[in-house]
Amino acid sequence: MSPSSAAATPGDHEGGSSEELHALILKSLDDDQAVDVIDIPLSGKTQIADHMIIASGRSTRQVASMAQKLAEKIKSDLGRGVRIEGLPAADWVLIDADDVIVHLFRPEVRSFYNLEKMWAFDKTPAAAATA
């Protein structure tokens, strides 16, 4: 499929299925000892991707290393290129692999932006409203 195809939908890309990509990303993050990995299914919520994965590293060095290894693994194993943003600072690195979007954070930055809550995936119950 050409990159200029406007009719592309998640799961339609060459280089392995969306499920293979998803499994590869989760395994790579596990191998690199990512912390607090959350997998948010996006099917039915948006067409931007099938999954969003949010994880933390203990330092900027670990976040950068996980991002670089993940991009290399996706390229070598599935033949897919990815787009990476935020690598120089490595406080928050976004990896766009089309079917799966990965956010890698330092813990402090992750708690500030709280993407889990934005995507209604906060595991803590909402506080009861007081009258």
Side-chain angles (χ1 to χ4, degrees):
M1 173 172 286
S2 72
S4 62
S5 174
T9 58
D12 287 349
H13 305 283
E14 293 179 15
S17 70
S18 175
E19 294 80 22
E20 289 173 311
L21 174 64
H22 181 244
L24 181 142
I25 290 170
L26 289 174
K27 180 169 180 357
S28 179
L29 292 175
D30 184 55
D31 291 348
D32 289 338
Q33 299 178 353
V35 179
D36 297 327
V37 177
I38 293 183
D39 181 7
I40 302 173
L42 297 179
S43 298
K45 291 183 180 181
T46 181
Q47 293 182 358
I48 61 170
D50 294 337
H51 293 273
M52 179 182 301
I53 297 173
I54 303 171
S56 297
R58 292 177 187 85
S59 66
T60 55
R61 176 173 277 166
Q62 185 186 16
V63 169
S65 176
M66 287 189 302
Q68 290 170 327
K69 286 180 184 178
L70 185 55
E72 291 167 8
K73 191 150 191 65
I74 292 169
K75 179 69 174 170
S76 67
D77 291 10
L78 300 178
R80 290 186 182 208
V82 299
R83 291 166 298 283
I84 300 177
E85 296 290 332
L87 196 54
D91 287 329
W92 174 3
V93 177
L94 169 74
I95 303 166
D96 182 355
D98 291 326
D99 297 331
V100 181
I101 297 170
V102 182
H103 295 273
L104 301 175
F105 290 98
R106 279 189 315 104
E108 303 82 22
V109 178
R110 180 176 179 173
S111 65
F112 178 80
Y113 287 103
N114 201 1
L115 292 184
E116 295 93 331
K117 186 174 182 179
M118 181 187 307
W119 283 91
F121 199 77
D122 191 7
K123 291 183 178 182
T124 59
T130 57

